[in-house]
Amino acid sequence: MERSSFTIIPTLILLLAAATLAALCIGATMISPVEAGRMLLLRDAADFVVWQHRLPRSLIAVLIGAALGTAGALIQGVMRNPLASPDILGVTQGAGLAVTIALLLLPAEGSSFLPIVACLGGAAGAALLMAYNSGMAFSPVRFALSGVAVSLTFASVTEFLLLTYPVEINTALLALTGSLWARGWMHLAPALLLIPLIGLAMFLAKPLDLIGLGDEAAGSLGVRLSRARLASITLAVLLTGISVSVIGPVTFVGLVAPHLARRLVGGAHLVLIPTAALVGAIVVVLADTLGRGLAPPVEIPVGILTAVIGAPYFLWLLFRIR
Amino acid sequence: MPMPALLADRRLVSIGVAVAIMALLFWWSLSAFSTFAVSTGDAWAGVFNGGQGAGTAARIVANIRLPRALAALLIGGTLGLCGLLMQGITRNRLASPTVLGVTGGASLGLALMTTGLISVPFADGNLVATILGGACAWSLVFMLGTAWSLDASRGRLVLAGITVAALCAGLTRLLVLLAEERALGMLNWLAGSLANVRFAEVQVMAVVFVAGFILSAVVASRLNLVNLGNETAHALGVRLRLLRATVFVAGCIMTGATVATAGPIGFIGLMAPNIARIFVGSDYRPLVPMSAAVGAILLLAADIAGRAVAFPAETPAGAVAALIGASFFLLMARGQR
C-alpha cells in the first residue's frame, strides 16, 4: 500500500494538471494546448478567453473539487457509512437553499457574506438531520434515506423559490444544480479559504483512522475522539458551505471521490484525504470541461454532469450493500 | 351490531365529503386568481355552454380554465390511484410514482422524444415515450431495490427510487438545456405545470383515469390480501405475478399519461393514499375512491396556490406539490423501519 500510494498521488497531480490544461483548451472556441500555454505565459491582447474566463474558472473548479472530496472523506470516516456524503447529510442542499434565499432577498448586496450564509445553511441541514435521526438505531441505508429526504425537502423549497421569484436562467441553474458559469477572479477569493481548511483536515487523519476501528475501540479512547468527530463534521460543513456559496450545490462529488480514492490508496486517512481531494478536483474539472465542450456555446452546469455520473455510481453502491 | 354499520357510514361520509370538497375546489379554480374578472355566471356559461354568446370571460373559462381544472382533477385522481396501487403491491407506504422513479423516467422518455433523440412513429408518440420511460425506470428501481425478495429492505427500494429519479431529472435537464433556447420556460414545465393543457389532452386523461379507477376497484380486494403477506395471499388464491404485472402496466400507463399531459408532478401519489388512510382506514376498497378524491383535491389546491403565491405570475402546481410533498415524505420516512 505504502509504495503504490507514493506513485498514485503524483500520478493524480499530473492527471489534474492535464485536466486543467484540457479545461483551458476546450470550450466555445477551441485552443490548442500550445496556444493555451503561450497565452498563460505571455500576456497579450488575445488572452481574454484563457485569463479572464477559463483560468479562474478552472482554478475554482480544482479548489472546490478538492474541498468536496475532502469533505466526503471526512464524513465517510466519521460515519463509517459507505453511502455517506455531504449531500446525504443535508449539508449541500441546506447550503444551497440558504444561498438561494440570500440571493433572492438581497440581490444587490455584495457576495462576501454568501459563504457565511451557506455554511450556516449547511450546518442547519446537518443539525436537522441529526435531530431527525436522534434516538433511532439506523442502518447505513436507513440513514442515507433520511438524509436524502432532508435534502429533497431543501431542494424542493429551493426550486419553489426559484420558480416563484424568477431570476436569470443561469443564476437559477447555479442555485439549483451548481454551476461554474461566470465564475471569475472575484470568486476565487472565498475559494482560497478552502486551502487552509483542507490542510486542517490532515490533522484529523489519525483520529479518523481510530474512529474507523469501530465503536468499542473508539469508545475506550473516549472524549478526544468525540471531539475529533465534531471537528470533522464542522470542517466538512465549512468546506461544503464555502463551495456551495461559490458554485452552488454540486452533488455526488463528496460521495464518489472518497470512494475512488479508497480503491486507489486504501483507508489510511493520511493518504486518503489528499487522494480524495485530488480525485474530487479532477472530477469537477473534467465535468466542467465536458459541460462546456458538449454543445458549445451552451454550457451544461457542472452539477448536472456530476449528478448524471454520480447517481449511477450511488445506485451501484446501493446494489452492493447487503 | 350497529358498530359495523356506523363504520361503513363513516367511510362513506368521508368519501362523500372529499368528493364535495373536490367539486368546490374545481368550481373555485375556474375563477380564482385570474388576471381578469370571472363572475359566477361566466363560469356557469363557460362550463355548460362552451362559452357561446356569453362574452370573453365565459369563453376563456371554457377554453382555458375548464380544461385546466379538469386536468388538475383527473391528473390528481390518477396519481392518487397510481400511488395507492404501488403502495399496495410493494406493501410500502412510501411508494409512489415519484418516489419509485417512474415519474422521472417518464419525463426523461418525453425529453428524449421531444429533443429528437428517439422518434416514435405513433400519433400519440408523447404518451408512448412517457410510458416506456416510466417502465424502464420502474424496472431499474425494482432490480436495484430487489423489491420482490422476501427480505427486501423497504428503505433500499425507496432510496433506489429517489436516486433513479434524481438521475432521470439530471438527464432530462441536460437534454432540455442542450435542445431548448427557452430554458427558463422548460424549467417551469419540468416542475409540472398545468398552464398549457388543452382539451385533447384532457380527453386522453379522462379515459386513463376512468380505466385506472375501474382497474383499481377490481384489484382492491386482492391488494387487501397481498398486504396480509405473500404466503397468505398465495394461499387465498391471489395470482401474485399477474397482479404485479397488471399493476406495473397500469402504473406506467397512468403515470405516463399524467407526465405527457402536464409534465412530472410529484408526491401526489404519495400523499393522497396516506391521507386517505387517515379517514377510511386500510381497506383498499374504500381507499380507491378516497385516494382519487384526495389526489384531485391536492392537485387542485396546489394549482390554485401556485396561482395565488406570486399573483399575477404563476408558480407551477408541481413545484407547490413538491414543496408540501417533500416535507410529507420527510415526516413519513421517519416512521419507516
Side-chain angles (χ1 to χ4, degrees):
Chain A
M1 266 314 157
E2 290 287 332
R3 190 143 304 173
S4 60
S5 59
F6 276 142
T7 51
I8 284 189
I9 289 188
T11 314
L12 287 175
I13 295 179
L14 279 172
L15 268 177
L16 181 60
T20 315
L21 186 61
L24 291 176
C25 299
I26 296 178
T29 51
M30 303 293 277
I31 309 175
S32 76
V34 170
E35 189 66 20
R38 195 185 63 80
M39 284 185 181
L40 270 180
L41 296 170
L42 314 163
R43 314 267 331 255
D44 63 16
D47 67 9
F48 174 83
V49 166
V50 169
W51 268 96
Q52 294 307 322
H53 184 221
R54 294 180 190 172
L55 185 60
R57 183 174 174 138
S58 306
L59 287 177
I60 292 175
V62 167
L63 286 173
I64 288 183
L68 290 175
T70 309
L74 286 170
I75 288 177
Q76 282 177 11
V78 169
M79 300 264 143
R80 293 198 305 269
N81 181 345
L83 296 175
S85 74
D87 321 329
I88 295 293
L89 279 194
V91 179
T92 316
Q93 298 290 357
L97 176 58
V99 165
T100 305
I101 294 176
L103 279 177
L104 289 174
L105 284 178
L106 306 155
E109 288 289 326
S111 53
S112 51
F113 70 103
L114 276 181
I116 306 171
V117 170
C119 290
L120 286 174
L128 180 64
L129 186 66
M130 296 307 175
Y132 184 78
N133 276 316
S134 66
M136 304 182 89
F138 42 78
S139 65
V141 168
R142 180 65 189 69
F143 186 83
L145 181 61
S146 62
V148 162
V150 170
S151 302
L152 195 57
T153 310
F154 285 142
S156 301
V157 179
T158 307
E159 184 155 2
F160 174 80
L161 287 173
L162 284 171
L163 287 169
T164 310
Y165 307 104
V167 293
E168 193 261 325
I169 177 65
N170 287 298
T171 316
L173 282 171
L174 195 150
L176 205 53
T177 62
S179 150
L180 278 159
W181 178 78
R183 302 296 97 181
W185 290 109
M186 69 183 124
H187 300 103
L188 193 60
L192 288 173
L193 277 174
L194 295 168
I195 301 178
L197 286 176
I198 297 176
L200 276 176
M202 295 298 291
F203 284 101
L204 289 163
K206 274 271 159 28
L208 281 172
D209 284 337
L210 290 174
I211 290 175
L213 290 175
D215 267 334
E216 296 85 23
S220 65
L221 291 153
V223 182
R224 309 194 64 200
L225 281 187
S226 64
R227 252 189 286 159
R229 274 203 175 96
L230 187 62
S232 301
I233 303 254
T234 310
L235 204 52
V237 168
L238 287 172
L239 284 165
T240 313
I242 295 176
S243 304
V244 170
S245 74
V246 176
I247 70 169
V250 173
T251 49
F252 287 108
V253 179
L255 174 78
V256 172
H259 269 277
L260 287 177
R262 206 173 283 264
R263 303 194 81 175
L264 289 171
V265 296
H269 284 85
L270 209 53
V271 265
L272 180 64
I273 291 180
T275 311
L278 284 166
V279 172
I282 293 174
V283 166
V284 176
V285 170
L286 285 178
D288 183 51
T289 310
L290 195 62
R292 278 183 297 110
L294 266 181
V298 175
E299 274 184 32
I300 310 287
V302 64
I304 290 185
L305 284 167
T306 59
V308 165
I309 302 168
Y313 188 84
F314 182 83
L315 288 171
W316 181 67
L317 280 180
L318 193 61
F319 193 52
R320 281 181 50 203
I321 290 182
R322 290 290 152 242
Chain B
M1 275 306 97
M3 268 310 276
L6 256 164
L7 276 172
D9 241 20
R10 205 191 74 161
R11 299 193 297 194
L12 277 176
V13 166
S14 303
I15 296 175
V17 169
V19 171
I21 296 178
M22 180 183 84
L24 280 171
L25 276 176
F26 178 83
W27 191 253
W28 189 30
S29 86
L30 290 175
S31 56
F33 299 106
S34 88
T35 46
F36 51 86
V38 175
S39 72
T40 319
D42 290 327
W44 197 260
V47 170
F48 291 105
N49 290 332
Q52 268 99 13
T56 330
R59 268 200 293 280
I60 291 183
V61 167
N63 294 319
I64 300 180
R65 284 289 149 67
L66 186 60
R68 183 174 174 147
L70 278 174
L73 197 147
L74 291 168
I75 292 178
T78 308
L79 287 174
L81 288 172
C82 204
L84 185 69
L85 289 174
M86 287 178 177
Q87 288 172 18
I89 205 73
T90 59
R91 296 199 296 269
N92 186 341
R93 291 185 181 186
L94 281 182
S96 89
T98 320
V99 168
L100 293 186
V102 185
T103 315
S107 66
L108 178 59
L110 186 59
L112 281 169
M113 230 205 56
T114 49
T115 57
L117 275 160
I118 294 180
S119 63
V120 178
F122 283 87
D124 228 344
N126 278 0
L127 193 56
V128 176
T130 55
I131 293 175
L132 286 177
C136 292
W138 191 332
S139 313
L140 181 64
V141 169
F142 271 40
M143 262 193 339
L144 292 169
T146 58
W148 300 136
S149 72
L150 285 170
D151 58 349
S153 153
R154 293 164 172 198
R156 194 160 116 160
L157 178 67
V158 172
L159 202 48
I162 295 182
T163 310
V164 167
L167 176 62
C168 290
L171 285 168
T172 307
R173 277 189 184 138
L174 186 79
L175 288 172
V176 161
L177 281 171
L178 284 175
E180 274 289 328
E181 292 88 39
R182 298 174 298 115
L184 197 55
M186 288 313 286
L187 265 190
N188 262 286
W189 182 87
L190 284 176
S193 167
L194 289 162
N196 297 311
V197 179
R198 295 289 174 264
F199 254 124
E201 296 158 315
V202 171
Q203 283 167 342
V204 173
M205 209 53 235
V207 170
V208 170
F209 173 73
V210 169
F213 191 92
I214 295 175
L215 182 91
S216 307
V218 165
V219 302
S221 49
R222 288 183 187 81
L223 285 177
N224 278 335
L225 295 177
V226 166
N227 275 276
L228 292 174
N230 277 351
E231 294 83 21
T232 319
H234 197 68
L236 288 165
V238 177
R239 299 210 300 251
L240 269 174
R241 279 215 169 138
L242 181 63
L243 189 61
R244 282 173 187 159
T246 311
V247 169
F248 178 80
V249 170
C252 289
I253 295 179
M254 287 159 80
T255 310
T258 65
V259 172
T261 308
I265 295 182
F267 294 106
I268 304 279
L270 173 71
M271 290 191 281
N274 285 298
I275 294 176
R277 277 197 190 92
I278 299 175
F279 293 102
V280 299
S282 310
D283 183 349
Y284 275 79
R285 286 165 302 174
L287 272 177
V288 167
M290 195 64 182
S291 299
V294 172
I297 290 175
L298 286 172
L299 192 54
L300 277 166
D303 188 45
I304 295 175
R307 302 209 301 257
V309 156
F311 184 75
E314 276 187 30
T315 304
V320 178
L323 189 58
I324 307 169
S327 323
F328 192 91
F329 175 73
L330 191 60
L331 288 170
M332 277 206 71
R334 186 156 216 273
Q336 280 272 301
R337 296 285 146 260

